[in-house]
Amino acid sequence: MARNHQAKPHERNKKSIKLGFIRLISGKWRGKKLPVINKEGLRPTTDRTKETLFNWLMHDIRDANCLDCFSGSGSLAFEALSRFANHALLLERDKTVSQQLQENLTALHIDNAQVIQTDSISYLQQTANQTFDVVFVDPPFNQNLVTPCCEALEKNGYLTDNALIYVEIESKATQVTLPANWKLLKEKSTGQVSYSLYTRA
């Protein structure tokens, strides 16, 4: 009894430092909480923003092939899978974050998703071997990653003809250039974040 009493607070403290959680807001895993690594720069999309995004995607996410370019917590990819996306590819550079994403896939018995530990910009410089219907571009802030990511998606064949691309950036970002054939469908700002949905025109 005493040994258990000593071990549990230590485990709780260690876990509280290491892990946070995201919550799936709809679909087959509605209300499910998934652990995420607490890392500097890891910034899960808020529930409010995520709800708006998936309202935008309401008629397009089921059976879609999805690409999460800077997966981080996996919040967007897991939400898409919960809402019956056909497949999701999650790109994440950090090793421990990638491992947690894989553990969450395993915990939910997901067999229609893949995590690749890689630098996303380098990965997207390769010619695509599959195309995606819905793409999430939500990189770490203040690193000027949106423009090279979007250019690579368009140039290297990652997008279906009518692909939908979600872009989330810091509101103060000024140096963002998107492919000329992308058409803005929706946009919104909340505090320090601006987010938009585009399609290929």
Side-chain angles (χ1 to χ4, degrees):
M1 188 74 176
R3 283 197 302 271
N4 289 341
H5 181 71
Q6 291 173 352
K8 287 180 180 177
H10 172 74
E11 290 168 2
R12 279 200 303 270
N13 290 340
K14 183 178 179 182
K15 196 167 187 177
S16 67
I17 292 170
K18 183 180 179 183
L19 296 178
F21 292 90
I22 58 169
R23 184 177 66 89
L24 301 179
I25 57 178
S26 191
K28 55 187 169 182
W29 300 305
R30 180 179 181 177
K32 178 77 175 177
K33 290 184 177 181
L34 297 175
V36 297
I37 301 292
N38 279 331
K39 284 267 186 176
E40 185 177 354
L42 192 67
R43 180 188 45 77
T45 300
T46 65
D47 281 3
R48 182 179 176 185
T49 299
K50 188 163 58 172
E51 187 167 8
T52 299
L53 165 61
F54 282 92
N55 283 339
W56 291 348
L57 295 174
M58 183 183 305
H59 302 296
D60 302 285
I61 200 67
R62 182 181 283 268
D63 298 326
N65 291 321
C66 301
L67 172 61
D68 196 350
C69 294
F70 303 90
S71 199
S73 69
S75 179
L76 299 179
F78 280 99
E79 189 69 36
L81 290 164
S82 183
R83 296 173 187 240
F84 305 98
N86 179 61
H87 183 268
L89 178 62
L90 293 78
L91 307 181
E92 172 53 47
R93 184 172 63 178
D94 186 276
K95 182 177 180 180
T96 56
V97 174
S98 296
Q99 289 172 341
Q100 184 63 57
L101 289 169
Q102 186 57 58
E103 289 175 16
N104 288 344
L105 289 176
T106 301
L108 291 176
H109 307 289
I110 295 173
D111 59 6
N112 60 332
Q114 180 184 10
V115 178
I116 298 180
Q117 185 198 339
T118 183
D119 177 83
S120 300
I121 302 299
S122 297
Y123 182 90
L124 295 171
Q125 295 303 322
Q126 309 170 73
T127 301
N129 56 22
Q130 66 182 119
T131 56
F132 297 92
D133 308 297
V134 176
V135 178
F136 305 113
V137 180
D138 180 16
F141 282 178
N142 304 312
Q143 296 186 29
N144 297 318
L145 295 171
V146 170
T147 295
C149 176
C150 294
E151 288 177 347
L153 287 168
E154 181 64 38
K155 178 183 177 182
N156 296 319
Y158 285 89
L159 306 172
T160 58
D161 288 345
N162 299 306
L164 295 165
I165 308 101
Y166 171 75
V167 178
E168 185 172 325
I169 58 175
E170 62 272 33
S171 295
K172 64 182 179 180
T174 55
Q175 298 178 333
V176 175
T177 303
L178 301 179
N181 61 315
W182 289 16
K183 177 184 176 183
L184 178 64
L185 296 178
K186 305 275 189 179
E187 65 179 335
K188 196 167 183 179
S189 295
T190 54
Q192 298 180 332
V193 176
S194 294
Y195 50 103
S196 308
L197 186 68
Y198 295 85
T199 189
R200 299 179 79 212

